[in-house]
Amino acid sequence: MSKIIALANQKGGVGKTTSSINLAASLAVLEFKTLLVDADPQANTTSGIGFDPRNIQNSIYECIINNIDPHTAIIKTDTPNLDLLPAHIDLVGAEIEMINLEEREYKMKAVLESVRAEYDFIIIDCSPSLGLITINALTAADSVIIPVQCEYFALEGLGKLLNTIKIVQNRLNTQLEVEGILLTMYDVRLRLSNQVVEEVRTHFEEMVFDTIIQRNTRLSEAPSFGVSVIMHDATCKGAINYLNLAREILSKNGLIKDELTATTAIA
């Protein structure tokens, strides 16, 4: 079984790119062949995993707009089992160029379907907007993870995002499901963080992942080294949090491998 998961939230600064990189790396470390797709014109996922977007020749943009074979754009990362379909700044103009294209909402789906059989998971990092590129990602995906930061205004805009997901479900992708709401940037010392966790879990109940991503220095500094937190420091809280998230998703989808594999990955 192959599964495509988009990480989406139109709010910036909620840990979307961090979660995309580290969830993909965690799945890869747990021996699932994974493709990380950078669908954000800022290309932070591309740089955060160790590649300079200015040196990228072929990207998701060329795949969508020029119909190039995604195999010519996909690059291997230093993490075993993890490949990247990168982005660069040209993606910012893709939405305008796509306006007059036929089946414009299905362009990314066509790209990913052509490589889907080669991966166990495809993780899409969406841009902080609800534009055409994000709609493409949601149309291509089997499910969506919604990162929500444990800070003031955490629920702001969440209703709008869930409404957009519902529209996509009704009109473009009837199979799309919400994989879960992921609480990020949790600080155990702050009363506000605990209040947000309680509020989100009260509102959304079973939709919320058990795993919470804590604030962690190693997690914050890993992108500056161009690696995932697991490659940076596999024993830190951030790495363990994302490995636990990956295991929770695997368990939810009936794909968990034996406990020894997961335990070894954390050690």
Side-chain angles (χ1 to χ4, degrees):
M1 180 195 121
S2 173
K3 185 156 194 178
I4 302 176
I5 304 175
L7 280 85
N9 192 328
Q10 77 272 27
K11 275 179 66 102
V14 298
K16 194 161 57 280
T17 296
T18 298
S19 295
S20 298
I21 292 172
N22 292 300
L23 172 58
S26 296
L27 290 166
V29 165
L30 294 172
E31 299 181 1
F32 289 87
K33 183 75 172 160
T34 305
L35 176 64
L36 178 59
V37 179
D38 192 349
D40 184 349
Q42 297 175 82
N44 289 336
T45 292
T46 301
S47 58
I49 206 73
F51 299 92
D52 187 340
R54 294 169 297 182
N55 297 332
I56 297 295
Q57 297 300 312
N58 290 325
S59 71
I60 186 70
Y61 169 83
E62 282 77 18
C63 295
I64 291 173
I65 301 299
N66 300 330
N67 297 315
I68 73 156
D69 184 345
H71 291 96
T72 66
I74 291 171
I75 45 185
K76 290 193 177 300
T77 73
D78 291 337
T79 304
N81 298 315
L82 180 62
D83 292 346
L84 172 72
L85 181 50
H88 56 58
I89 192 63
D90 285 358
L91 189 60
V92 76
E95 296 199 357
I96 296 171
E97 295 179 63
M98 290 167 70
I99 286 174
N100 295 319
L101 296 180
E102 288 186 22
E103 302 283 292
R104 62 186 181 186
E105 295 91 352
Y106 296 93
K107 291 296 180 182
M108 192 181 299
K109 181 179 178 69
V111 171
L112 298 184
E113 287 296 331
S114 68
V115 298
R116 181 172 187 154
E118 299 164 38
Y119 295 95
D120 298 308
F121 285 94
I122 298 177
I123 305 297
I124 310 172
D125 179 29
C126 298
S127 62
S129 74
L130 294 179
L132 193 51
I133 296 294
T134 298
I135 296 299
N136 259 261
L138 294 175
T139 303
D142 298 307
S143 65
V144 55
I145 291 174
I146 305 168
V148 173
Q149 82 279 36
C150 295
E151 295 178 359
Y152 197 60
F153 293 137
L155 298 180
E156 188 182 62
L158 199 52
K160 186 175 181 182
L161 174 60
L162 290 168
N163 189 51
T164 299
I165 291 170
K166 193 170 289 186
I167 291 169
V168 171
Q169 287 170 327
N170 290 336
R171 300 182 186 176
L172 299 168
N173 182 3
T174 56
Q175 307 301 312
L176 182 65
E177 298 177 343
V178 176
E179 189 77 27
I181 293 172
L182 176 65
L183 291 160
T184 63
M185 303 180 187
Y186 175 78
D187 190 332
V188 69
R189 299 166 300 176
L190 299 181
R191 182 187 297 175
L192 177 61
S193 283
N194 293 301
Q195 288 173 340
V196 170
V197 170
E198 191 176 328
E199 186 177 3
V200 172
R201 286 195 162 146
T202 299
H203 272 79
F204 298 103
E205 300 175 343
E206 296 300 315
M207 288 173 65
V208 185
F209 285 111
D210 292 334
T211 303
I212 295 176
I213 309 302
Q214 301 177 48
R215 283 193 181 277
N216 178 251
T217 302
R218 292 297 203 193
L219 187 58
S220 301
E221 67 189 21
S224 66
F225 292 91
V227 293
S228 67
V229 70
I230 293 150
M231 298 297 282
H232 183 51
D233 182 354
T235 62
C236 74
K237 272 185 185 175
I240 292 169
N241 287 165
Y242 279 108
L243 281 163
N244 285 338
L245 174 64
R247 292 172 67 187
E248 189 174 346
I249 290 169
L250 292 171
S251 178
K252 182 178 178 181
N253 287 277
L255 293 169
I256 194 75
K257 292 194 175 182
D258 60 68
E259 289 297 315
L260 181 61
T261 304
T263 307
T264 304
I266 294 174

